[in-house]
Amino acid sequence: QQPVQSPQAVILREGEDAVINCSSSKALYSVHWYRQKHGEAPVFLMILLKGGEQKGHDKISASFNEKKQQSSLYLTASQLSYSGTYFCGTPPMNYGGSQGNLIFGKGTKLSVKP
Amino acid sequence: DVKVTQSSRYLVKRTGEKVFLECVQDMDHENMFWYRQDPGLGLRLIYFSYDVKMKEKGDIPEGYSVSREKKERFSLILESASTNQTSMYLCASSFRGGNTEAFFGQGTRLTVV
């Protein structure tokens, strides 16, 4: 079942913060975040595992709340280079086992303006 | 620099043609994936393979088949191309297991006319 991302799109000025949410109707064991810049391949940002772990990647961090079946991506003091479409992905298995295949959300388009 | 290379960036084919999309990775990854990307629908998994000659259906396998004869190469085959298969196709690879980073190729934009 495809995770639901919100918002679908967001426009920011440089230096502003944003939050992108990813939620699922089924239990989550891990959440994977990717960013795809226009015309480029998706690039891995981070994986969050069951346990509420918060991870960071430069000024981009994320949290994972398995009780709420939700992950949030936090972009702090956004830069022009943050523009792109952000995807969350979750394993299809409902018991945590996965061979690496993911079900991705529809994506959140982030535009950072000067 | 790690690489996933797709054979074509752009491809135009006629309805009914048999189409081959090729993907090669140089990272010795066990897993390889084919995704389709359409506006507003995100990335949808067509097929994946976790070992040579092994394949598993993804969410939208209808109209597609795959081949993995060598570890580094994963081919997507459209047996009889149709206009509704016009899309961006992305190949990816990763090490075995569920919690590993996937590396994507640049994509092949296929247009079926």
Side-chain angles (χ1 to χ4, degrees), chain A residues 2 32 34 36 41 44 99-100 106, chain B residues 31 37 40 48 97-98 101-102 105:
Chain A
Q2 191 175 35
H32 304 226
Y34 286 79
Q36 184 179 30
F44 172 80
Q99 293 166 314
K106 293 182 179 181
Chain B
N31 293 339
Q37 184 173 25
F48 70 100
E101 173 183 356

Side-chain angles (χ1 to χ4, degrees), chain A residues 2 29-30 32 34 36 39-44 47-49 87 91 96 98-107, chain B residues 9 31 33 35 37 40-45 48 50 56 59 90 94-102 104-106:
Chain A
Q2 191 175 35
Y29 289 84
S30 66
H32 304 226
Y34 286 79
Q36 184 179 30
E40 298 183 10
V43 173
F44 172 80
I47 294 174
L48 295 111
L49 304 176
F87 294 98
S98 170
Q99 293 166 314
N101 49 314
L102 298 173
I103 302 175
F104 283 97
K106 293 182 179 181
Chain B
R9 287 298 302 271
N31 293 339
F33 311 89
Y35 287 93
Q37 184 173 25
L41 297 179
L43 301 164
R44 294 181 293 167
L45 183 65
F48 70 100
Y50 54 88
E56 294 281 347
D59 301 312
L90 290 164
S94 69
F95 285 115
R96 192 187 306 279
N99 295 320
T100 57
E101 173 183 356
F104 283 82
Q106 289 287 81

Side-chain angles (χ1 to χ4, degrees), chain B residues 30-87:
Chain B
E30 291 85 7
N31 293 339
M32 294 191 75
F33 311 89
W34 275 106
Y35 287 93
R36 172 175 170 162
Q37 184 173 25
D38 299 290
L41 297 179
L43 301 164
R44 294 181 293 167
L45 183 65
I46 305 171
Y47 268 97
F48 70 100
S49 168
Y50 54 88
D51 204 347
V52 176
K53 296 193 187 294
M54 305 302 290
K55 60 184 179 185
E56 294 281 347
K57 291 181 180 179
D59 301 312
I60 52 166
E62 296 79 18
Y64 304 94
S65 62
V66 290
S67 173
R68 193 163 180 204
E69 296 296 319
K70 292 186 177 182
K71 190 176 185 180
E72 67 271 18
R73 189 179 295 269
F74 192 36
S75 302
L76 180 70
I77 304 155
L78 287 69
E79 297 291 342
S80 178
S82 64
T83 54
N84 62 13
Q85 292 178 309
T86 291
S87 187

